[in-house]
């Protein structure tokens, strides 16, 4: 009996526990108003992967509630959400993270209206647009990330009014205009740690104020239209670890006061108009790791104190007017240094041997200075050296250099162009038992008036992708083994004295054959130092790239003494983008097979002895942007109603027997056509066919136009229709891709 009572009591107790559990979870379950607010958000999504169906919204994916059933967190980053964003009525929400979705719409004042507990707001990587509301929603807000959207307009001065705990504000990659609100620091000086205004359309001067941000660690405003001087008070923000302002129009000298920023690790002021000398005491910034001043107007010598920055990882000072004897500098303490870029300056002297004690070095760029001397064998201690650019200097003993450098296993890119004036091409006799350059992808020995022939040892460079030998005195034929190099896709042999015929084997170059091209990772090589280029989209703008893949697939044989026919086999090089055969002694006809080169963007056959007609099929080369057949013996009419008419007359001139638009001389009426024209029936038929032909052409243009515009819009930043490498802005865009 007693046992039964106990049993009953135990059961009752368990039941009690169960009930209290149910009751308590019921209490913790979400509020109806919160649930409907969430559902109304979900309902505006066009494709909702959210499975928000159960009663208790606190258990839904991405939702966190507090004890009382108020929603405090809504975290749905990268959930593939698509659709318009709508205001939430979630009064206790502290964390809102909808980053990396496809939400559109704007943040009207309403959106913020009820979010007055919000601490974290992350809407980055969506398609949101419109102007910002007048003010942030809450005084507790700490983090605001609106980066990578389409917001525009000025940031209202009242925006930060009540945000006294703001620590991080990121609007990178939008289209904001007006001033960078540096006055933000006047109010919230003690909390701000990160400000990122990069990649917008902010303009005008950087107003003083940042100096008041006593805790500011990161300040970024790259890729804007900022002008004027760097405000002096920035040097009061002594907690700064990173200043990144590249791609603006800032000018003036870098103040000595920079030594106040003792925490500075990253300083990127590249692509501006900064002038004057580098502060002598820059070396006092012992935490400096990444220093980038490329493309400014800096003058004077490198401050020796810089060699005290033993934490330096990258030093980029390319494209300035810096000078001085670099052999005086002692690099031996820079044991962390991986990249040194002093390209395009006025440095003199020899390469200091102390540089070779920087064992971490991966990239050395010294091209286009006034350096002299020889490569020293000590360079072999750089076991990670991958990128070596020494072109455009006055070094001597090329063969000696090559025999040393070939043992650097890590070497991918070697440019010695324009440095060994008048010496001999390292011959097979010089390089007996050649075994080296195992990983070399880019070999540039251009512009040195080197004499001799193209040596056989190059055929052993199985990883070679780019061979640049232009502007030398190379004689002899084009070796047919070139066509067997498995990765080669860019050959420039122009401006030499090469003779013989175009080898048919070159038409089997594996990398240029359709179908055999492996788009494998192996080809995704990135240069350790940027290469500079321009594109047809914005030909006068310089932009850096690290990508080897930006080089077009190219064969340049211009200005040599090559004879014979253009082989019909050339039609096999279906991936070829640029073909320059101009200023040689090619004869015979233009082979119809060239029209197989569907990717061709440049075809220059000018100044040869080509005869016959221009094949009609060339009109099918849709990507052709440069075309030149001038100064040959071509005849007949230029194929009409094709894009060939869109090229200038100078592309056809110097062919006395060639006629028709765009040339001024009209073709003599063809008797056959005349006879046809007398036949009314045919005229009638012709009239019927004519509009369709034009409609077809017009449609073609429209589709092409939309295609180009569409991809421009999609990419937002750039689309390179063709890409030109340049090494020196001052010398203009013509001095292209010689020195890197
Ligand atoms: C949605 O949630 C319900 C209840 O939680 C579950 O039964 C169902 O399998 C879920 N559906 C999907 C597609 O996840
Ligand atoms: C938002 O979520 C993403 C993905 O989990 C995360 O990387 C990011 O840091 C979050 N944002 C904030 C401000 O915490
Ligand atoms: C700001 O942060 C401090 C410290 O975390 C906190 O005590 C204070 O309540 C916060 N102020 C607001 C308005 O949230
Ligand atoms: C480099 O640092 C040492 C010791 O910290 C100092 O004595 C020397 O003057 C510094 N050199 C330069 C050029 O600033
Ligand atoms: C074609 O080549 C000739 C000879 O080099 C040159 O004078 C002319 O400007 C070129 N025309 C075009 C459109 O490129």
């Amino acid at each position: 009996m007693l046992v039964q009572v106990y049993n009953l009591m135990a059961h009752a107790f368990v039941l009690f526990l169960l009930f209290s559990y149910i009751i308590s979870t019921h209490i913790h379950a979400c509020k109806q108003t919160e649930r409907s607010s969430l559902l109304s958000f979900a309902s505006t999504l066009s494709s909702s992967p959210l499975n928000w169906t159960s009663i208790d919204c606190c258990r839904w994916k991405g939702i966190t509630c507090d004890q009382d059933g108020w929603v405090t967190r809504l975290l749905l980053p990268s959930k593939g959400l698509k659709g318009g964003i709508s205001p939430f009525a979630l009064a206790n929400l502290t964390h809102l993270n909808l980053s990396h979705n496809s939400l559109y719409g704007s943040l009207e004042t309403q959106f913020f209206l009820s979010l007055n507990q919000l601490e974290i707001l992350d809407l980055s990587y969506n398609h949101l647009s419109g102007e910002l509301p007048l003010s942030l929603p809450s005084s507790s807000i700490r983090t605001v990330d609106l980066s990578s959207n389409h917001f525009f307009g000025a940031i209202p001065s009242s925006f930060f009014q009540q945000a006294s705990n703001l620590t991080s504000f990121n609007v990178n990659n939008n289209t904001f205009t007006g001033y960078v609100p540096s006055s933000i620091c006047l109010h919230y000086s003690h909390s701000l740690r990160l400000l990122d205004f990069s990649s917008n359309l902010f303009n005008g001067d950087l107003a003083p104020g940042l100096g008041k941000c006593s805790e500011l660690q990161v300040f970024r405003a790259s890729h804007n239209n900022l002008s004027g001087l760097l405000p002096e008070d920035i040097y009061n923000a002594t907690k700064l670890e990173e200043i990144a302002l590249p791609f603006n129009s800032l000018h003036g000298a870098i103040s000595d006061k920079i030594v106040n920023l003792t925490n500075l690790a990253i300083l990127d002021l590249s692509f501006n108009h900064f002038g004057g000398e580098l502060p002598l005491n820059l070396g006092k910034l012992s935490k400096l790791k990444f220093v980038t001043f490329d493309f400014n107007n800096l003058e004077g010598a490198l401050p020796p104190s810089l060699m005290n920055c033993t934490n330096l990882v990258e030093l980029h000072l390319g494209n300035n007017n810096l000078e001085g004897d670099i052999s005086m500098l002692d690099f031996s303490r820079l044991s962390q240094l991986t990249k040194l870029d002093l390209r395009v300056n006025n440095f003199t002297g020899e390469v200091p041997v102390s540089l070779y004690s920087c064992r971490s070095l991966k990239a050395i760029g010294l091209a286009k200075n006034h350096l002299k001397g020889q490569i020293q064998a000590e360079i072999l201690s750089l076991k990670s050296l991958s990128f070596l650019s020494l072109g455009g200097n006055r070094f001597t003993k090329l063969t000696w250099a090559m025999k040393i450098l070939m043992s650097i296993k890590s070497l991918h890119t070697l440019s010695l162009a324009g440095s060994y004036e008048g010496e001999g091409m390292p011959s097979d006799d010089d390089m007996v038992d050649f075994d080296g350059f195992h990983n070399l992808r880019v070999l540039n020995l251009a512009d040195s008036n080197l004499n001799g022939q193209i040596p056989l040892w190059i055929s052993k460079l199985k990883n070679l992708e780019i061979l640049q030998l232009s502007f030398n005195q190379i004689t002899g034929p084009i070796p047919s083994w070139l066509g067997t190099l498995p990765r080669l896709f860019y050959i420039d042999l122009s401006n030499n004295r090469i003779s013989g015929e175009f080898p048919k084997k070159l038409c089997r170059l594996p990398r240029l054959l359709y179908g055999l091209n492996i788009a494998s990772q192996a080809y995704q090589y990135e240069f350790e130092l940027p290469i500079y280029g321009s594109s047809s989209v914005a030909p006068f703008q310089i932009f850096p790239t690290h990508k080897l893949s930006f080089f077009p697939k190219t064969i340049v044989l211009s200005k040599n003494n090559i004879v014979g026919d253009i082989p019909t086999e050339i039609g096999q090089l279906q991936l070829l983008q640029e073909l320059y055969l101009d200023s040689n002694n090619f004869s015979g006809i233009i082979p119809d097979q060239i029209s197989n080169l569907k990717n061709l963007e440049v075809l220059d056959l000018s100044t040869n002895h080509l005869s016959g007609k221009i094949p009609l099929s060339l009109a099918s080369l849709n990507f052709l942007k440069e075309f030149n057949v001038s100064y040959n013996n071509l005849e007949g009419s230029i194929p009409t109603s094709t894009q060939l008419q869109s090229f200038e007359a100078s592309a056809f001139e110097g062919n006395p027997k060639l006629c028709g638009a765009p040339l001024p001389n009209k073709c003599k009426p063809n008797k056959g056509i005349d006879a046809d024209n007398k036949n009314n029936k045919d005229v009638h038929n012709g009239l019927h066919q004519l509009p369709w032909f034009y409609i077809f052409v017009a449609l073609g243009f429209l589709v092409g136009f939309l295609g180009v515009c569409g991809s421009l819009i999609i990419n937002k930043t750039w689309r390179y229709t063709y890409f030109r490498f340049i090494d020196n802005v001052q010398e203009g865009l013509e001095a292209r891709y010689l020195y890197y």
Side-chain angles (χ1 to χ4, degrees):
M1 184 66 188
L2 208 62
V3 173
Q4 278 179 342
V5 170
Y6 271 129
N7 251 341
L8 205 66
M9 280 175 69
H11 277 124
F13 185 64
V14 166
L15 273 177
F16 169 75
L17 280 184
L18 200 67
F19 269 110
S20 52
Y21 175 74
I22 288 169
I23 286 164
S24 73
T25 52
H26 187 69
I27 285 172
H28 287 200
C30 82
K31 301 264 184 277
Q32 265 317 303
T33 49
E34 307 266 289
R35 188 174 192 273
S36 54
S37 176
L38 288 171
L39 283 178
S40 90
F41 162 68
S43 70
T44 60
L45 302 178
S46 60
S47 86
S48 173
L50 302 168
N51 188 11
W52 284 355
T53 47
S54 61
I55 300 289
D56 184 0
C57 71
C58 292
R59 289 157 177 243
W60 290 351
K61 190 165 72 177
I63 306 295
T64 310
C65 295
D66 65 7
Q67 301 233 326
D68 304 322
W70 297 103
V71 175
T72 56
R73 295 185 183 204
L74 176 51
L75 307 177
L76 294 168
S78 308
K79 291 291 179 292
L81 307 182
K82 289 193 175 73
I85 196 168
S86 55
F88 299 97
L90 300 170
N92 288 37
L93 196 69
T94 59
H95 290 61
L96 178 58
N97 191 341
L98 299 173
S99 65
H100 291 93
N101 284 297
S102 305
L103 302 172
Y104 56 82
S106 67
L107 301 185
E108 302 143 28
T109 312
Q110 277 202 333
F111 182 84
F112 282 164
L113 212 54
S114 67
L115 300 179
N116 39 35
Q117 298 297 320
L118 204 60
E119 293 170 21
I120 310 289
L121 173 65
D122 188 347
L123 301 175
S124 60
Y125 293 91
N126 279 289
H127 309 307
L128 300 170
S129 61
E131 301 198 31
L132 291 188
L134 283 178
S135 148
L136 277 163
S138 103
S139 56
S140 337
I141 195 100
R142 286 185 279 133
T143 299
V144 176
D145 190 346
L146 304 178
S147 60
S148 295
N149 279 289
H150 310 304
F151 291 113
F152 53 78
I155 296 182
S157 55
S158 55
F159 192 66
F160 307 100
Q161 217 155 47
Q162 46 166 341
S164 55
N165 274 359
L166 193 62
T167 59
S168 168
F169 183 70
N170 185 353
V171 291
N172 179 4
N173 196 18
N174 281 283
T175 45
F176 285 113
T177 49
Y179 290 102
V180 164
S182 35
S183 57
I184 186 174
C185 291
L186 297 176
H187 307 292
Y188 319 109
S189 48
H190 299 301
S191 53
L192 268 172
R193 285 180 175 72
L194 179 144
L195 287 174
D196 193 340
F197 299 103
S198 309
S199 300
N200 278 287
L201 301 170
F202 288 111
N203 55 34
D205 289 9
L206 266 179
L210 287 170
K212 292 269 183 339
C213 271
S214 57
E215 300 296 318
L216 192 64
Q217 294 167 350
V218 177
F219 177 57
R220 300 186 186 124
S222 70
H223 293 89
N224 279 293
N225 301 325
L226 303 178
S227 52
L229 304 167
L230 207 54
E232 286 270 308
D233 86 323
I234 199 173
Y235 304 117
N236 297 336
T238 55
K239 292 272 173 69
L240 271 172
E241 293 169 12
E242 174 178 347
I243 300 177
L245 300 169
F247 293 93
N248 280 294
S249 301
L250 299 165
H251 69 265
I254 296 151
S255 164
D256 276 339
K257 288 189 191 154
I258 201 164
V259 290
N260 293 344
L261 306 181
T262 50
N263 291 298
L264 206 59
I266 301 175
L267 179 59
D268 186 350
L269 302 178
S270 58
F271 288 89
N272 275 289
H273 309 303
F274 287 108
E277 302 198 359
L278 284 169
L280 268 182
N281 50 9
L282 195 60
K284 288 205 175 137
L285 300 177
S286 58
K287 292 190 181 163
L288 277 179
K289 282 186 173 169
F290 299 91
V291 175
T292 308
F293 287 121
D294 292 325
F295 284 89
N296 278 289
N297 306 319
L298 299 175
E299 318 165 335
L302 285 190
S305 74
L306 204 54
M307 301 300 144
N308 265 356
C309 298
T310 52
N311 289 308
L312 262 185
V313 177
E314 297 188 13
L315 180 59
H316 300 267
L317 298 169
N319 282 274
N320 279 288
N321 299 316
L322 295 165
E323 58 188 30
D325 186 344
I326 61 164
S327 38
M328 309 306 281
L329 296 169
D330 180 7
F331 288 85
S332 58
R333 298 179 60 202
L334 306 185
S335 59
Q336 313 288 314
L337 194 66
T338 62
K339 299 181 181 183
L340 175 69
D341 189 358
L342 305 179
R343 291 175 294 176
V344 196
N345 276 292
N346 298 316
F347 290 112
T348 53
E350 301 193 8
V351 180
V353 181
S354 65
L355 188 61
Y356 305 138
S357 59
C358 306
R359 296 293 156 85
S360 311
L361 270 173
K362 289 183 178 150
I364 302 177
L366 299 174
K368 295 231 94 187
N369 279 288
H370 310 295
L371 305 175
K372 57 182 178 25
Q374 293 141 28
I375 293 281
Q376 289 119 323
E378 285 86 345
I379 198 171
L380 293 175
S381 54
L382 302 180
K383 300 282 186 235
S384 307
L385 190 66
S386 173
F387 183 105
L388 182 62
S389 167
L390 303 176
N393 282 295
R394 296 177 196 145
F395 297 118
T396 51
K397 291 202 180 180
L398 176 60
T399 300
W400 164 265
M402 294 295 277
K403 283 166 105 167
I404 292 173
L405 296 172
M406 71 179 192
S407 303
I408 305 180
K409 288 216 166 57
S410 50
L411 203 59
H412 285 309
T413 301
L414 176 61
S415 173
L416 303 175
S419 274
Y420 295 87
E421 182 63 30
E423 296 194 14
M425 176 70 71
S427 68
D428 291 308
D429 288 342
D430 293 329
M431 309 288 274
V432 274
D433 299 329
F434 171 84
D435 180 22
F437 290 130
H438 291 296
N439 291 301
L440 201 65
R441 293 167 183 259
V442 179
L443 177 60
N444 183 356
L445 297 175
D447 199 27
S448 302
N449 284 313
L450 304 178
N451 52 55
Q453 301 204 359
I454 300 174
L456 186 63
W457 58 263
I458 291 180
S459 70
K460 297 185 182 165
L461 308 183
K462 297 298 181 206
N463 287 306
L464 200 64
E465 299 186 55
I466 293 183
L467 178 61
Q468 171 56 281
L469 298 175
S470 63
F471 291 96
N472 283 302
Q473 300 289 337
I474 296 171
T475 50
I478 300 171
S480 55
W481 50 254
L482 264 189
T484 66
L485 285 176
R487 295 180 163 210
L488 194 63
F489 73 88
Y490 184 107
I491 305 170
D492 188 349
L493 305 177
S494 66
N495 291 278
N496 277 290
R497 295 192 278 133
I498 292 169
S499 52
E501 300 199 351
F502 189 112
K504 287 193 171 63
K505 261 201 172 160
L506 198 54
C507 302
R508 298 294 304 162
L509 204 60
R511 197 71 191 279
L512 301 185
L513 298 184
Y514 187 76
L516 288 181
N517 193 47
I518 320 141
S520 78
Q521 260 80 12
Y523 298 127
Q524 305 296 313
Y525 172 64
E526 300 217 334
F527 295 110
E528 281 73 17
L529 288 182
I531 303 291
Y532 300 100
S534 68
S535 81
S536 63
V537 180
F540 297 105
Q541 233 165 322
I542 312 297
F543 66 88
T545 179
H546 286 87
K547 291 197 165 78
L548 179 67
S549 57
F550 268 135
F551 275 86
K553 299 186 171 69
T554 299
I555 295 177
V556 192
L557 303 178
S558 316
K559 300 207 171 77
N560 278 293
N561 305 319
I562 302 166
V563 297
D565 292 348
I566 299 172
T568 55
E569 289 84 351
I570 201 149
Q572 296 166 1
L573 299 174
Q574 292 194 21
L575 300 178
L576 193 64
Q577 290 167 289
E578 302 194 3
L579 177 62
Y580 295 86
L581 302 178
D582 54 292
S583 302
N584 277 289
N585 294 317
F586 283 108
S587 52
I589 57 162
I590 299 175
D592 208 23
Q593 286 81 354
I594 285 189
S595 61
N596 291 343
L597 309 182
K598 296 288 184 239
N599 294 293
L600 212 55
E601 292 167 23
V602 178
L603 177 61
D604 194 341
L605 305 176
S606 65
T607 321
N608 278 292
H609 309 294
L610 298 168
S611 53
K613 292 186 156 195
I614 297 176
L616 183 61
S617 59
L618 287 192
S620 68
L621 296 176
N622 297 322
F623 293 121
L624 213 53
K625 291 179 192 73
E626 272 183 52
F627 176 74
N628 203 331
V629 291
S630 64
Y631 301 98
N632 279 290
N633 301 318
L634 298 170
E635 60 182 54
S637 62
I638 297 167
T640 52
S641 303
T642 69
Q643 57 154 340
L644 294 183
Q645 259 81 48
S646 66
F647 298 105
E648 283 170 35
S650 73
F652 301 94
E653 71 192 4
N655 292 286
K657 286 185 271 178
L658 201 59
C659 64
L663 286 174
N665 55 323
K666 292 220 166 57
C667 295
K668 295 222 178 72
N670 181 317
K671 276 174 196 157
I673 286 172
D674 256 18
D676 283 350
N677 280 355
K678 279 179 190 140
N679 187 327
N680 269 341
K681 244 187 198 166
D682 280 359
V683 171
H684 192 69
N685 278 342
L687 279 176
H688 267 282
Q689 283 154 10
L690 203 64
W692 286 111
F693 172 75
Y694 281 110
I695 287 167
F696 178 72
V697 169
L699 270 178
F701 271 112
L702 190 67
V703 168
F705 179 76
L706 286 179
V708 169
C709 290
S711 45
L712 273 176
I713 292 162
I714 288 162
N715 279 348
K716 190 171 175 185
T717 43
W718 288 85
R719 185 174 183 278
Y720 313 102
T721 41
Y722 62 78
F723 183 79
R724 283 288 151 82
F725 284 86
I726 51 174
D727 51 74
N728 191 341
V729 203
Q730 284 87 359
E731 283 179 16
L733 302 181
E734 291 307 315
R736 59 178 219 229
Y737 48 81
L738 283 181
Y739 303 105
Y740 311 126

